[in-house]
Amino acid sequence: MDPLTLAALVGIVTTLILFSGIPVGIGLLMVGVGFIWIFDGASALPLLPEILFSKLESFEVLAIPMFILMGAVVASSRAGGDLYSVLDRWLTRVPGGLVISNLGACAIFSALSGSSPATCAAIGKMGIPAMRERGFPSSVAAGSIAAGGTLGILIPPSVTMIVYGISTDTSIGRLFLAGLLPGLMLTILFMAWSLYSTWRQGNASVALASVTYSWKEKFEILPRVLPFIVIICAVLFALYGGVATPSETAGVGALFCLIVAMIIYRMWQPSKLWHIMRDTTKESVMILLIIGAAGLFSYMLSSLFITQSIAQWITALEVNRWVLMGFINLFLLISGFFLPPVAVILMSAPILLPVIVNAGFDPYWFAVILTINMEIGLITPPVGLNLYVINGIAPDIRLQTILKGAMPYVLCMVVAIIILCFFPEIATWLPETVIGGR
């Protein structure tokens, strides 16, 4: 069978299996094993366990459960509420201080937890009622939190970036640095739209400070969140200062988060610790299964010459490289509507990266573009996980209202992609400055 025809068949079968509701990891295993069995015969099957586990042998993989543990500790504590309170008290006199506080809290908390749903739940429980109470439109209140929760997969340390690094053999430290400035740029775009939307709907007065806090009230809550901020700074310093590897940094960061939570929030009860370890194990096993299954899936594509044929076909098109990038963005955008970011990255990045590099694009810049596309998928139907999380914590806000409020933030992400296309240095300058040449 022609490799391109076979590629179309694999694509159709994979889509049908994943849309059937089967877990992504199991679905990829079924497709990989099935096509290898059919085209390479049963004699190839004994090699598959070795291929599956070879993807999990890398020491860098250890960073994933450690960062997930770090996030689970933060998400299980009251750190989200305290973080929101700190920003609210310190930014109350800034025009639009409340909405800026919410988005700032989302950015910091998502960097701590690395989980979009956890960020939406933690910040939304306090932020949405407070914004609505002070007169912000429900669409702005819900949409800003839903969008702010997506920042965790871009702002370092990001599990999604680790997965990209593992699947493409690129430097995780460089990926973290590449996502930092675009993450801050996206946060600023979110804040700007929130303030403009409030003013446009005739609610300009609510953007002004209506509550004041004394200096005592501002300082008394700082000790509850400063240790977590210090941990983030220490993790980033260890990564970029060459002090430790990502896996070592993740392990130390998780340990210190656990110690801080036990001291500040008194989370030393066995039941609470068991809850944290259980959630960490479930999410880690899910991601590691997808990584292993995607490794076997990639081996199947390579052994049947599908990957090579697709790359050659795309290269032979001889279209302008920006037209090519446009089609790739469209593919990533549609994939993100239906699949979780980790699955899309593991399935597509190994195929797309050679094409991207041959077209003259920077692989670390492309990682940022890919991640922003995945962020869009988190707040757009039919999956749109963050939309349903917001609906769960604010059931009186209709899903249509949340979606309406989230759509402008999708446009903000599209604008961010366009800006990065014109100014790729936003993603590439920091890695080159801090780490140097590749």
Side-chain angles (χ1 to χ4, degrees):
M1 185 181 292
D2 176 69
L4 292 178
T5 304
L6 184 57
L9 179 61
V10 170
I12 293 171
V13 172
T14 304
T15 302
L16 291 175
I17 287 180
L18 294 182
F19 280 9
S20 69
I22 292 176
V24 173
I26 302 298
L28 293 178
L29 278 177
M30 292 172 59
V31 175
V33 172
F35 276 92
I36 289 174
W37 189 7
I38 293 172
F39 289 93
D40 288 347
S43 60
L45 296 183
L47 295 173
L48 301 188
E50 182 178 350
I51 296 169
L52 176 69
F53 287 103
S54 66
K55 271 293 183 181
L56 305 177
E57 289 178 347
S58 170
F59 184 65
E60 292 179 334
V61 173
L62 185 61
I64 294 176
M66 291 297 98
F67 276 126
I68 291 175
L69 174 59
M70 185 172 158
V73 171
V74 175
S76 299
S77 69
R78 297 192 306 274
D82 287 343
L83 180 61
Y84 167 81
S85 298
V86 167
L87 292 175
D88 182 30
R89 294 183 187 188
W90 280 89
L91 297 176
T92 186
R93 302 193 67 83
V94 177
L98 188 58
V99 69
I100 291 176
S101 300
N102 278 279
L103 288 166
C106 284
I108 298 173
F109 190 88
S110 58
L112 269 170
S113 69
S115 170
S116 288
T119 301
C120 288
I123 306 301
K125 285 177 182 177
M126 294 190 65
I128 292 177
M131 292 177 73
R132 295 174 73 189
E133 181 181 337
R134 298 191 196 178
F136 282 89
S138 295
S139 58
V140 172
S144 62
I145 299 294
T150 68
L151 295 169
I153 65 173
L154 181 59
I155 297 176
S158 163
V159 172
T160 304
M161 287 293 192
I162 296 174
V163 171
Y164 179 93
I166 292 171
S167 64
T168 59
D169 291 323
T170 48
S171 166
I172 293 174
R174 283 184 174 275
L175 289 169
F176 282 176
L177 283 170
L180 185 57
L181 292 182
L184 296 176
M185 178 184 71
L186 200 52
T187 304
I188 292 171
L189 287 174
F190 287 172
M191 291 176 177
W193 168 257
S194 299
L195 294 176
Y196 170 74
S197 177
T198 302
W199 171 81
R200 188 189 62 178
Q201 295 183 42
N203 296 283
S205 60
V206 306
L208 301 176
S210 58
V211 179
T212 58
Y213 297 97
S214 66
W215 285 107
K216 178 183 177 182
E217 290 174 317
K218 289 181 178 181
F219 278 104
E220 67 183 4
I221 197 172
L222 285 179
R224 299 180 71 88
V225 296
L226 281 181
F228 289 111
I229 306 300
V230 170
I231 289 174
I232 291 181
C233 295
V235 165
L236 297 180
F237 173 78
L239 278 173
Y240 307 142
V243 177
T245 66
S247 299
E248 293 166 346
T249 305
V252 174
L255 175 61
F256 276 102
C257 274
L258 190 59
I259 292 173
V260 168
M262 292 173 70
I263 294 174
I264 295 179
Y265 298 107
R266 304 182 182 278
M267 294 177 60
W268 52 64
Q269 295 93 335
S271 59
K272 291 184 178 179
L273 295 177
W274 166 252
H275 179 79
I276 291 171
M277 297 302 174
R278 183 197 64 190
D279 290 350
T280 300
T281 302
K282 287 172 63 177
E283 189 169 350
S284 299
V285 169
M286 177 193 70
I287 293 177
L288 294 177
L289 175 61
I290 294 176
I291 290 175
L296 193 149
F297 184 82
S298 298
Y299 170 81
M300 177 270 294
L301 294 178
S302 179
S303 67
L304 300 181
F305 297 98
I306 293 175
T307 304
Q308 301 90 322
S309 299
I310 292 175
Q312 291 174 1
W313 175 74
I314 294 176
T315 304
L317 290 177
E318 296 183 354
V319 297
N320 181 279
R321 68 176 191 149
W322 290 108
V323 174
L324 174 63
M325 179 56 65
F327 282 115
I328 290 175
N329 271 281
L330 184 62
F331 163 75
L332 294 173
L333 192 63
I334 295 174
S335 300
F337 288 165
F338 301 98
L339 296 173
V342 170
V344 176
I345 290 171
L346 289 169
M347 291 171 61
S348 63
I351 298 175
L352 294 176
L353 192 66
V355 176
I356 291 297
V357 173
N358 288 336
F361 293 107
D362 185 273
Y364 298 95
W365 170 86
F366 176 67
V368 175
I369 298 295
L370 187 155
T371 302
I372 295 176
N373 276 286
M374 297 302 97
E375 288 186 90
I376 293 174
L378 290 171
I379 56 173
T380 48
V383 179
L385 180 60
N386 286 12
L387 301 178
Y388 297 101
V389 172
I390 296 296
N391 187 238
I393 62 177
D396 59 316
I397 303 179
R398 299 171 63 235
L399 194 59
Q400 293 88 334
T401 302
I402 302 173
L403 179 59
K404 178 183 176 182
M407 283 300 100
Y409 296 96
V410 172
L411 295 179
C412 289
M413 295 180 192
V414 173
V415 169
I417 291 175
I418 294 172
I419 293 174
L420 286 166
C421 289
F422 280 102
F423 305 101
E425 295 82 8
I426 297 174
T428 60
W429 175 79
L430 197 56
E432 292 173 359
T433 302
V434 175
I435 299 180
R438 287 176 225 135

